[in-house]
Amino acid sequence: MLPTPANRLVATHWGLYRPRMSGGNVTDLDPFELDNDPAPLAQGIIEAHSAPSRILRPAVRRSFLEAREAGRRGPGSGSGRGHEPFVELPFDEALDLAAAELDHVRRTWGNAAIYGGSYGWSSAGRFHHAQSQVHRFLNSIGGYTRSIQNYSFAAADMILPHVIGSRKGLIDGHTPWPRIMTQARLVVMFGGTPLRNAQVGSGGISVHIVRDAMELSRRQGVRIVSVSPMRDDTLGDNVEWLPIRPGADTAMLLAMMHVLICEDRADLAFLDSHTVGYDRLGAYVLGEEDGVAKTPEWAAAICGVPASAIADLARAMADTRSFVMMAWSLQRADFGEQPYWAAIALAAMLGQIGLPGGGVGFGYASANGIGNPIPDMKWPSLPQGSNPVSDYIPVARIADTLLHPGERYDFNGESRTYPDLKLIYWAGGSPFHHHQDLNRLRRAWQLPETVIVHDSWWNATVRHADIVFPATTTLERNDIACSARDRFIAASHAVLEPAGEARDDYAIFSALAERLGAADEFTQGRDTEAWLRQLYLNARQSAAAIGHELPEFERFWSQSVAMLPPTPPDEQRDLLAAFRADPQGQRLETPSGRIELFSERVAGFGYDDCPGHPAWIEPREWLGAPLAARYPLHLLSTQPARRLHSQYDVGAHSRQGKHHGREIMRMNPADAAARGLAGGDVVRLFNDRGACLAALEISDELLPGVVQLATGAWYDPAPGDDPQPLERHGNPNVLTADIGTSRLAQGPSAQSCLVEVERFDGELPPVRVFEPPQFSSRGT
Ligand SMILES: Nc1nc2c(c(=O)[nH]1)N[C@H]1C(S)=C(S)[C@@H](COP(=O)(O)OP(=O)(O)OC[C@H]3O[C@@H](n4cnc5c(=O)[nH]c(N)nc54)[C@H](O)[C@@H]3O)O[C@H]1N2
Ligand SMILES: Nc1nc2c(c(=O)[nH]1)N[C@H]1C(S)=C(S)[C@@H](COP(=O)(O)OP(=O)(O)OC[C@H]3O[C@@H](n4cnc5c(=O)[nH]c(N)nc54)[C@H](O)[C@@H]3O)O[C@H]1N2
Ligand SMILES: [Mo]
């Protein structure tokens, strides 16, 4: 299977690239011809291929290996995960050991004791998608405890079905960008539209669309208001910035509703025919429920946006075709369900939901492809089989589960029990990147008997494993890429030999399945090429079902990409337009069939942290909290501009964005002056949960009181047994809190985080995480 050299392609989550080759090496990755706003993220992956931190051979944590060789169970008697050297093993021996661990656990405690949620973005490519591979494998050997939801929008995921009966407007079904920018006159963006985030789209990207959409808004003279603690979230001369205190948007939204109600601007006809609960929510907004009228003055004191600006914006939205956009970040916070519910309620009161280019939608720049007018087609993915184990945990409750097995917790109206997990299997994700309160996770992570990880680099998660398998990267294997939010299918060609002894996840799982008597079920007798042909056949059939012909496999493979046409303007649909046109015939899947501004069901759960209507509930951590007396800065751990999460942090593109080898933290000049800090200083961020270093950039793009430190610097704790070691590299998750958004969603709440910052005057400790770990031979 060989394409002509000029047609070679490599697919990533941030775009398609043409590799330039010389002497068997990749020297450059040129962006795909049709993409006029390509992401520069790709360059890092060439260097990372052979970085010193590449995992070259299977390896086992030393005291774990000693314990097993002596016939002992448990996690080993050494200093613990994340602290010990590794012993490299021949591949077959490591496979035998991993298979024995899986077999022991399933026989002794049952498959439910295996945690295989394995949350994470993996790489683009439908076949070598590591999370699908690990799920398919664990299903083939009897199942596993899974996770539900994601870290991106768990709170929204749970609240939206109660409010509009589905997740439309969150992950799909959005009113397309071109409709908004040609039909609406005013777009209010809570959380802006940071182009840095729109570089990325899960599964891959043919063309980047957000810059074009913003350009269209400028040409059309659309008024854009960005409500955000950060000015440079959105750029353009048609953009006005309304700085807002983080975590306080719900107060502002409620005050806008107050204006609509008191000035008779609420669309009572729409509220009457398409919603329930306006009376209950209205009573709360007017203060009839709790004696507090949610006036613009009330909100201004909370959120910092002037009362007149709040009122004017509400009036302007009522006077013209308007659209409410909200970034996913707002709900990764304490009570993150509330701003989402409030945004829908505001749009409903405006009566614009389902009108051309009007209404509401979420995450428009949180990823490329949201609001992309693409044909409605189901792209193929690797079948995962079925899981005989029914138990699951909400994804962000992993540390709680490990620390509190058997304890009860509330979740979306249910009372559930945390399972007792003995073995953790992770491939394609990095909990020591994505989880909050890493010092707590590190404690919890010591408890299970066995941790098995596949990855390509010695990042923090791998360093906290017992058995490590070296996985190939995108550059080293053939695959097929496509994305639910795009209209391409691409070949991703192997262009390099695997580093060291690295194998595809599929090969590793096939070998384990063989040892565990599940080879046929896992592989179905197919090799990689047979799977790629099968996946492609599925795509061809889906395309044919909607009237599009994709080329046969050989031609596709050599031409490397096939695209479906975009949806023509007259076939593009607005979110909930069908429901607007026919609220009886197109009932929503809520109990009332309508948009629920008050939900009897949610109210019935009796949660004070998520009542029956959108409400202002003071976050545990925000600038108005008592804790702000000690930790007066609100930390926003945004997505990183120079990488995808922690991926390719080892590469040059990401490392060029650091200073003194540390991640850069931005801070307003007033806050820097008050602390005697200068740009370029190495600073220490700290709170009661931990501390990390970062390099200071002073910037008036940020509201005073707010600091920004992107996620994804590989977690690099100082050695030793301090339960809160200094993190040397700039990883915000040593500072964030590991508390569910509410009992309803139990989502991650990373954005609600207070810190203090001081200059770091000590001797600067080196960042060690890009070096391989310490290796030892058996018994030394
Ligand atoms: N403080 C804070 N924390 C956050 C967030 C935040 O806003 N603030 N955001 C959260 C969000 S939205 C998300 S989605 C998560 C992201 O969290 P993750 O998705 O876990 O982060 P990644 O760095 O993408 O981790 C993917 C891992 O898989 C590995 N990998 C890639 N391809 C392969 C492969 O083919 N095989 C194998 N075996 N491994 C592979 C990569 O090397 C990497 O280590 O982070 C969350 N964490
Ligand atoms: N380059 C790059 N792009 C990415 C990713 C990546 O790792 N790298 N990750 C992808 C993933 S998995 C996801 S889920 C998305 C996440 O996408 P988002 O959740 O939208 O991303 P964030 O960067 O956390 O936040 C976006 C903006 O919201 C604003 N904001 C934060 N808190 C508040 C608040 O309380 N109120 C208001 N009004 N605004 C606030 C901040 O100013 C911030 O710049 O990004 C995706 N895009
Ligand atoms: Mo995400």
Side-chain angles (χ1 to χ4, degrees):
M1 299 211 303
L2 275 182
T4 56
N7 283 348
R8 279 201 200 108
L9 200 75
V10 169
T12 72
H13 289 304
W14 46 94
L16 307 176
Y17 296 87
R18 301 283 184 196
R20 255 192 265 162
M21 309 283 304
S22 162
N25 292 315
V26 179
T27 57
D28 247 315
L29 289 166
D30 296 330
F32 181 53
E33 312 75 73
L34 300 182
D35 189 359
N36 58 17
D37 186 26
L41 299 183
Q43 295 313 324
I45 83 179
I46 301 172
E47 178 192 294
H49 170 77
S50 51
S53 57
R54 189 73 201 265
I55 307 170
L56 299 175
R57 277 167 290 279
V60 181
R61 185 168 60 87
R62 187 171 64 193
S63 82
F64 177 89
L65 183 63
E66 285 166 0
R68 292 302 181 270
E69 288 184 334
R72 288 195 313 272
R73 300 297 313 165
S77 56
S79 44
R81 298 187 173 108
H83 296 276
E84 283 177 45
F86 285 85
V87 180
E88 294 188 316
L89 287 189
F91 227 110
D92 278 335
E93 263 185 61
L95 288 166
D96 290 343
L97 184 60
E101 291 298 304
L102 286 160
D103 202 38
H104 175 82
V105 169
R106 69 175 175 172
R107 283 174 197 282
T108 314
W109 293 285
N111 281 66
I114 301 174
Y115 182 62
S118 194
Y119 178 76
W121 266 53
S122 311
S123 292
R126 292 289 85 201
F127 178 62
H128 294 294
H129 185 246
Q131 203 191 113
S132 306
Q133 289 281 352
V134 68
H135 293 164
R136 182 178 170 81
F137 163 69
L138 291 173
N139 284 336
S140 80
I141 65 160
Y144 63 98
T145 294
R146 67 200 159 94
S147 59
I148 59 164
Q149 315 165 325
N150 56 39
Y151 277 73
S152 312
F153 46 69
D157 216 16
M158 303 311 293
I159 194 68
L160 255 58
H162 292 297
V163 180
I164 58 168
S166 74
R167 297 173 174 90
K168 293 265 176 259
L170 176 64
I171 38 176
D172 58 17
H174 291 76
T175 303
W177 274 112
R179 278 189 77 75
I180 299 168
M181 293 315 185
T182 53
Q183 310 280 330
R185 302 309 302 151
L186 170 59
V187 180
V188 180
M189 301 169 162
F190 289 86
T193 52
L195 285 168
R196 68 159 191 279
N197 290 356
Q199 290 179 100
V200 163
S202 176
I205 290 171
S206 60
V207 296
H208 287 79
I209 61 170
V210 177
R211 195 183 296 274
D212 279 356
M214 295 303 291
E215 180 54 29
L216 180 60
S217 79
R218 203 186 53 75
R219 283 202 309 276
Q220 296 282 330
V222 181
R223 181 181 170 206
I224 304 244
V225 177
S226 174
V227 183
S228 172
M230 242 171 263
R231 177 172 25 217
D232 55 5
D233 272 348
T234 303
L235 295 172
D237 47 20
N238 56 333
V239 179
E240 297 156 39
W241 182 37
L242 269 190
I244 189 166
R245 222 166 262 157
D249 301 75
T250 307
M252 176 168 169
L253 290 157
L254 290 166
M256 292 172 79
M257 295 181 220
H258 192 275
V259 172
L260 298 180
I261 296 170
C262 292
E263 298 184 2
D264 289 329
R265 290 171 192 259
D267 186 336
L268 297 178
F270 181 81
L271 289 165
D272 191 47
S273 54
H274 288 76
T275 73
V276 293
Y278 174 60
D279 51 337
R280 300 290 299 268
L281 178 57
Y284 168 76
V285 168
L286 294 176
E288 290 162 12
E289 201 178 284
D290 57 359
V292 181
K294 312 303 176 297
T295 62
E297 291 71 24
W298 165 84
I302 293 170
C303 72
V305 180
S308 57
I310 297 174
D312 287 348
L313 191 61
R315 293 178 193 127
M317 292 192 82
D319 286 347
T320 189
R321 182 60 50 81
S322 59
F323 196 93
V324 183
M325 282 186 183
M326 192 173 272
W328 290 338
S329 56
L330 275 83
Q331 51 79 69
R332 282 201 305 287
D334 286 350
F335 322 121
E337 298 83 1
Q338 302 309 314
Y340 269 50
W341 202 347
I344 295 170
L346 174 67
M349 285 192 200
L350 289 164
Q352 304 236 10
I353 292 178
L355 289 180
V360 59
F362 303 103
Y364 270 89
S366 299
N368 187 69
I370 297 290
N372 201 1
I374 51 165
D376 188 12
M377 146 148 176
K378 198 175 166 350
W379 293 99
S381 57
L382 182 70
Q384 299 183 2
S386 59
N387 189 347
V389 176
S390 59
D391 205 7
Y392 63 80
I393 60 168
V395 68
R397 301 279 53 84
I398 176 64
D400 286 349
T401 306
L402 295 173
L403 291 167
H404 304 291
E407 281 187 25
R408 301 197 73 79
Y409 67 101
D410 290 318
F411 178 57
N412 201 23
E414 280 180 69
S415 171
R416 300 182 56 85
T417 305
Y418 286 125
D420 191 357
L421 304 174
K422 303 292 185 190
L423 184 150
I424 296 181
Y425 210 123
W426 226 291
S430 185
F432 281 86
H433 159 72
H434 63 233
H435 197 63
Q436 281 60 65
D437 198 347
L438 289 180
N439 289 321
R440 180 172 190 257
L441 179 68
R442 218 178 183 210
R443 243 187 311 126
W445 203 255
Q446 304 299 335
L447 299 171
E449 290 217 341
T450 313
V451 179
I452 309 177
V453 174
H454 305 186
D455 207 300
S456 305
W457 292 276
W458 283 102
N459 63 26
T461 297
V462 179
R463 286 165 199 259
H464 287 81
D466 301 326
I467 306 177
V468 174
F469 286 106
T472 52
T473 72
T474 300
L475 296 176
E476 298 163 348
R477 61 203 183 198
N478 289 323
D479 211 334
I480 286 179
C482 44
S483 159
R485 292 194 273 274
D486 214 312
R487 54 191 179 83
F488 73 95
I489 183 158
S492 188
H493 296 118
V495 289
L496 292 174
E497 291 299 319
E501 296 175 20
R503 293 187 191 174
D504 297 345
D505 294 295
Y506 182 61
I508 299 166
F509 287 130
S510 299
L512 289 173
E514 172 90 54
R515 284 164 171 77
L516 293 164
D520 291 344
E521 191 173 343
F522 179 68
T523 68
Q524 293 186 359
R526 294 192 177 109
D527 62 7
T528 297
E529 184 174 334
W531 277 107
L532 297 185
R533 286 176 182 274
Q534 181 60 43
L535 289 170
Y536 186 73
L537 184 66
N538 295 346
R540 268 191 103 190
Q541 286 165 346
S542 304
I546 58 161
H548 297 291
E549 198 189 335
L550 293 176
E552 44 75 40
F553 183 81
E554 266 71 22
R555 208 167 99 232
F556 159 72
W557 193 256
S558 63
Q559 78 183 34
S560 72
V561 58
M563 307 245 324
L564 301 183
T567 306
D570 60 333
E571 288 173 27
Q572 295 176 19
R573 298 283 169 262
D574 302 285
L575 176 67
L576 300 183
F579 165 67
R580 185 183 185 100
D582 180 10
Q584 294 307 326
Q586 302 287 325
R587 288 170 58 88
L588 301 180
E589 284 174 48
T590 53
S592 63
R594 298 178 175 192
I595 299 171
E596 303 216 343
L597 307 186
F598 181 90
S599 162
E600 295 286 354
R601 191 162 56 190
V602 173
F605 297 161
Y607 298 155
D608 55 356
D609 53 6
C610 190
H613 56 72
W616 166 247
I617 314 170
E618 270 197 47
R620 288 170 282 252
E621 293 191 25
W622 72 300
L623 290 172
L627 189 67
R630 267 200 298 148
Y631 298 118
L633 298 168
H634 193 125
L635 171 68
L636 292 180
S637 45
T638 50
Q639 304 292 357
R642 289 177 165 269
R643 57 185 173 258
L644 172 63
H645 315 134
S646 70
Q647 295 195 35
Y648 298 102
D649 189 35
V650 65
H653 185 65
S654 178
R655 293 172 77 171
Q656 278 156 11
K658 304 188 194 237
H659 190 63
H660 299 301
R662 325 286 142 159
E663 199 64 25
I664 285 175
M665 181 205 78
R666 296 203 301 174
M667 177 188 253
N668 182 281
D671 294 319
R675 291 166 180 77
L677 302 174
D681 281 353
V682 172
V683 292
R684 178 174 165 269
L685 290 77
F686 62 98
N687 60 19
D688 289 340
R689 291 176 289 266
C692 71
L693 300 182
L696 176 63
E697 179 184 319
I698 297 178
S699 165
D700 57 12
E701 301 290 321
L702 263 70
L703 187 71
V706 176
V707 292
Q708 177 192 19
L709 176 64
T711 63
W714 287 4
Y715 170 63
D716 190 33
D721 48 18
D722 184 345
Q724 290 193 4
L726 177 67
E727 201 284 325
R728 300 174 287 194
H729 192 187
N731 187 310
N733 274 329
V734 296
L735 301 161
T736 53
D738 180 13
I739 303 177
T741 50
S742 78
R743 285 182 282 167
L744 186 103
Q746 295 286 7
S749 56
Q751 302 307 335
S752 300
C753 179
L754 292 175
V755 300
E756 179 53 293
V757 174
E758 64 183 14
R759 186 171 34 245
F760 181 75
D761 286 324
E763 196 185 323
L764 199 54
V767 172
R768 292 273 187 230
V769 71
F770 295 129
E771 299 165 17
Q774 218 192 322
F775 291 111
S776 80
S777 48
R778 280 184 165 105
T780 55

